[in-house]
Amino acid sequence: MRAIFKRELKSYFTGVFGYLFSAFLLFVVGLYFTVNCLVQASPYFGYVIGSISFVFIIAVPLLTMRTLAEDRKMKTDQLIMTAPVSVTRIVLGKYLALVTVFFIPCVLICLYPLILGHYGTIPYTMAYSAILAFFLYGCTCLSIGLFLSSLTENPMLAAVLTFAVLFADYLVSGIGSIFGSESNASFLGIMMIAFAFAIVFFMLTKSLLAAFVLMLLLGTAAAVTYNLKPELFTGLIQNVAGALDITKRMDDFINGVFNLSNIIYFVTVSALFVFLTIQSVEKRRWS
Amino acid sequence: MIEVKNLTKRYGNRTAVDKLNFTVEDGEVIGFLGPNGAGKSTTMNMLTGYLAPSEGEVMINGIDIMKNPKKAKKNIGYLPEIPPLYPEMTVDEYLKFVMELKRVPKAERKNQLDRIKNMIGLNRVGDRLIKHISKGYRQRVGLAQAIVGFPDIIILDEPTVGLDPKQIIEIREMIRGLGEKHTIILSSHILSEVAAVCDKILVISNGKMVAFDTPDRLEGRAEGETSVKLLVKGDKDAVRDAIKAVEHVDYVELNSFDAGLSLGSYVVHTKGVWDIREKLFFALSAIETPILEMSFYRKSLEDIYLELTKDNISETEDMDYEDAFGEEEMEEVGNLEELYEEADEEEDGSQSEAADDVEENDETGKEES
């Protein structure tokens, strides 16, 4: 695992992507810091973090797109997979390297509240809990990028997929609120989700029949439940969207509330995607 | 030791590797031979644990590679068809990474790096980026990577493909050197390469094992593998009876007979490999029928190879996908064969000259940088 970790970390900084990633993050943070805190003389660094949660949509694909896809493309996975190292350790090594690259700009971001501190009293706990949330949110996005990179051998495709998924997740609460909270609107939304689910399933398994059966099953289940107990559907879409919305989990921290359940949420989602990555790499040996 | 039992790999409906069974003893050099697409790479990927078999098992020194992959993989070095190199690393960096990956103890690393670089001839390119070195050197780095940690078993997938004849000879010499201490499996679609380096040849066709034997015994496999062509003057029945009476003769064909000159052209087939020319001479001179011409034919390894893998070609023609390049591939094999034989002659003829050329090659390599 150490060998993989070291090589990955080095490759980010012998190439351009590690620098590009850090530079982009720091540029955006610096820009918002200047505008929000310095120009407007605001002591709330947490709000800077709150308004730049979009950076990951662009920065994360840059970093994660090559992680596993490039190995497959260059056939170097044949070296790694035939070495006496388990798939779990390979994936963990790669993920930790990603997190480490991301950790470096985070350390630099930690200096901003100190700069502000020179000009007066500022709420440090609020600022640092926001940075912690920023770090955890970033790690979650990296795990999603890692997973999507394991699905393809084309780094560009991995980047586009990661961008699309993170962007969709960024907007998911907004999309949820387009639907009314009435049960029939929710039912319509659930049917659309079932359809989307079937498409993803088809892309993963390439089996049209299985995807069709899956869609039919989900659709029937939803229709039956809707006919029997329509009240179950009230506000369902909003609840589903809320559960999927990772960005929203930062809000409490930005307002200075240290919410343990949100930390657990970030850690669980990251662990889930790392686990899925391991499965996806492992599965390729069997197909 | 490698034990392969009932090894099968299916991709959907297509069976790439079909129930392979064989055992490789310690210290043997085995050649996988078969046309492109016969299942050689798939088999190797399963032997090294890169792919999981659909059925069957692979035991490396008695350890099942699927059940205890970490322990089994420690005994294997693998050079895949495309060398698994990171272009943005230098050769030294890369080999150090592989050493760490394969858990070579820290104290041995420096020593081993120097040893491997000396063996493979990589001393001059140690600090160069892999993307800047020539294809021949990349193949060498791939080979170096496979012998890191000096594993018992070294598996090489088409180690000489895409190299020029001189490089082929160099790599072949290296493999021969390694074969003294290691168990080696290498694959190739070039027959003469396998015949030159390997103790045993495993011929694969359509994912099935069609032969597994030493080159010599493989040559003596098919029925009637030697024949003698004769041009004899004399009565055809008398000649035929005389030939038939000779030991080891299986049957006689009369190709043509010129009654005016009483000249007959015969082909004599033997059972097993026998050179019966002397006996034929005495037998025919005893009945005073002079031999005007005589030539000896022996079925070459190549004939046997083509015969064994005949099905592969005809069956792939059914599939429209491989139809397009089935025949072309065979031609290519033929061309490579010629090239290779030329290179062979060159090597035999002037050892010292070849050595000079290697020097030159290194020089040009330097200029490239």
Side-chain angles (χ1 to χ4, degrees), chain B residues 165-166 169 338-348:
Chain B
K166 209 181 297 167
I169 290 162
E338 281 168 31
L339 245 182
Y340 190 72
E341 260 149 29
E342 273 169 33
D344 235 15
E345 280 158 25
E346 191 187 309
E347 180 200 30
D348 296 339

Side-chain angles (χ1 to χ4, degrees), chain B residues 35 64 73 87 93 121 152 162 188 230 232 269 273 281 288 353 362:
Chain B
D64 190 326
K73 284 173 184 173
E93 273 174 352
D152 297 344
S188 180
L230 288 168
V232 184
H269 295 270
V273 183
F281 168 79
E288 288 179 11
E353 197 182 295
D362 281 346

Side-chain angles (χ1 to χ4, degrees), chain B residues 47-60:
Chain B
L47 292 183
T48 53
Y50 177 68
L51 287 179
S54 311
E55 254 172 60
E57 57 181 12
V58 176
M59 307 285 273
I60 305 291

Side-chain angles (χ1 to χ4, degrees), chain A residues 6 71 77-78 80-81 285, chain B residues 45 49-50 52 73 80 86 100:
Chain A
K6 268 162 62 182
D71 264 326
D77 61 336
Q78 290 194 316
I80 298 169
M81 300 280 288
R285 302 171 61 206
Chain B
N45 279 334
Y50 177 68
K73 284 173 184 173
Y86 290 101
E100 204 178 338

Side-chain angles (χ1 to χ4, degrees), chain B residues 14 316-326:
Chain B
R14 211 174 75 85
T316 45
E317 268 168 5
D318 299 339
M319 288 187 244
D320 26 52
Y321 168 69
E322 268 164 271
D323 195 22
F325 43 89

Side-chain angles (χ1 to χ4, degrees), chain B residues 344-363:
Chain B
D344 235 15
E345 280 158 25
E346 191 187 309
E347 180 200 30
D348 296 339
S350 49
Q351 283 282 344
S352 59
E353 197 182 295
D356 284 346
D357 286 347
V358 175
E359 270 306 303
E360 245 175 63
N361 197 29
D362 281 346
E363 222 76 309

Side-chain angles (χ1 to χ4, degrees), chain A residues 2-4 6-7 10-11 71 74-86 89 285-287, chain B residues 9 11 45 48-50 52 66 70 73 80 84-89 93-94 97 100-101 103 145:
Chain A
R2 260 176 65 94
I4 304 260
K6 268 162 62 182
R7 201 213 72 79
K10 217 170 167 183
S11 82
D71 264 326
M74 303 297 293
K75 306 282 176 200
T76 41
D77 61 336
Q78 290 194 316
L79 166 67
I80 298 169
M81 300 280 288
T82 58
V85 188
S86 68
R89 279 165 180 270
R285 302 171 61 206
W286 296 89
S287 57
Chain B
K9 183 74 183 176
Y11 293 107
N45 279 334
T48 53
Y50 177 68
M66 291 314 290
K70 249 191 199 169
K73 284 173 184 173
L85 308 174
Y86 290 101
E88 78 281 4
M89 290 172 106
E93 273 174 352
Y94 174 73
F97 161 66
E100 204 178 338
L101 192 69
R103 294 158 199 266
Q145 162 275 124

